[in-house]
Amino acid sequence: PTPRILNAVEHKKRVYVDEQKRLYVALSAPLYIRLSLSPVDSDGSYLLHDPKDTEAAVPFYLDGPGRHTINPPGAMGKTGTTMHVYAAGKGPTTTASLNGAQIYKSEDAIFYGKGLKVSIESTDDMTGVQQTYVARDDTVFTLYQSPFTLSFERQYQIRYYGVDNVGNAEPVSEITFTVDATPPIINVRFSNAGSGSEDRPIYPLGTSVEMEAVDTLSGLGRLAYAVNSDPEQGFTQSVSFDTA
């Protein structure tokens, strides 16, 4: 059965200031206005509230992503008094890269060989990336730290997403695939019984050889053989030995 999709970690919206002192907020976040008689935070401030209810703060929302202008009362036309706030409307874009192993795609599944390494990267062109999260199969999300290798042979489901610097989380992405670390099993059958030792059997002239290979996960790609120093070739029919 398909594993259930666990919820992403809850991320609190926050204010972010970049190196150029630009102020960013999440587009969906409620904003509040405080009045203060001092630029010092510890001196306190007064939160604007509903005139009819002193316990209810009055939020407002920005009407779209991008830059918004805030003009304090009496500041119109005065140099240096216009302020800007930037609203980020969506989270980062996160991609997963699977490298280090050969890939095979069937009609309904994806297979990788040994040495598969998973790397996840988030990018955000507005506020930047705060964190990236990843979950394997039916586990909870944890903070992504560095690429990891999947060595066990089984099916995996990797889920991931990124969070920007104001708390916007992108939708969860997922990839499902199987790691196939076991080579096929080859069976060789001779048409006649052999004599001699087990590691150096002797067969009569006219003996033919049949071969088959079985792989229980990704399936058989190719069955090849070579006689002595002859070039390797794909096995398609029995091989008969008519000379000593």
Side-chain angles (χ1 to χ4, degrees), residues 20-32:
Q20 286 76 42
K21 305 300 181 181
R22 290 177 296 195
L23 186 69
Y24 292 89
V25 296
L27 178 61
S28 61
L31 304 180
Y32 298 87

Side-chain angles (χ1 to χ4, degrees), residues 38-120:
S38 170
V40 180
D41 291 339
S42 60
D43 286 347
S45 61
Y46 179 78
L47 180 64
L48 295 187
H49 56 77
D50 188 335
K52 298 179 181 180
D53 184 356
T54 58
E55 300 297 325
V58 181
F60 70 95
Y61 295 85
L62 299 177
D63 58 3
R67 191 178 78 169
H68 297 262
T69 300
I70 298 177
N71 291 305
M76 297 299 293
K78 295 183 180 181
T79 304
T81 56
T82 299
M83 296 172 287
H84 300 289
V85 59
Y86 295 81
K90 61 179 182 178
T93 299
T94 302
T95 57
S97 300
L98 284 73
N99 301 296
Q102 188 168 337
I103 183 176
Y104 167 70
K105 296 182 179 180
S106 67
E107 292 183 358
D108 55 0
I110 300 175
F111 298 88
Y112 288 91
K114 288 183 178 180
L116 180 63
K117 180 178 289 187
V118 180
S119 302
I120 301 175

Side-chain angles (χ1 to χ4, degrees), residues 157-236:
Q157 183 186 57
I158 305 297
R159 294 172 289 123
Y160 53 91
Y161 71 95
V163 183
D164 68 10
N165 276 308
V166 294
N168 288 322
E170 67 176 309
V172 175
S173 298
E174 64 177 82
I175 49 175
T176 301
F177 56 87
T178 298
V179 171
D180 183 354
T182 302
I185 297 175
I186 302 177
N187 297 313
V188 179
R189 296 187 299 272
F190 292 87
S191 62
N192 296 310
S195 60
S197 62
E198 182 178 354
D199 61 343
R200 192 177 179 85
I202 300 173
Y203 296 92
L205 291 179
T207 296
S208 60
V209 177
E210 290 282 352
M211 289 177 278
E212 68 174 0
V214 178
D215 190 275
T216 58
L217 284 179
S218 62
L220 181 65
R222 181 171 182 259
L223 175 57
Y225 77 99
V227 178
N228 296 334
S229 59
D230 293 346
E232 180 184 285
Q233 56 185 312
F235 180 82
T236 56

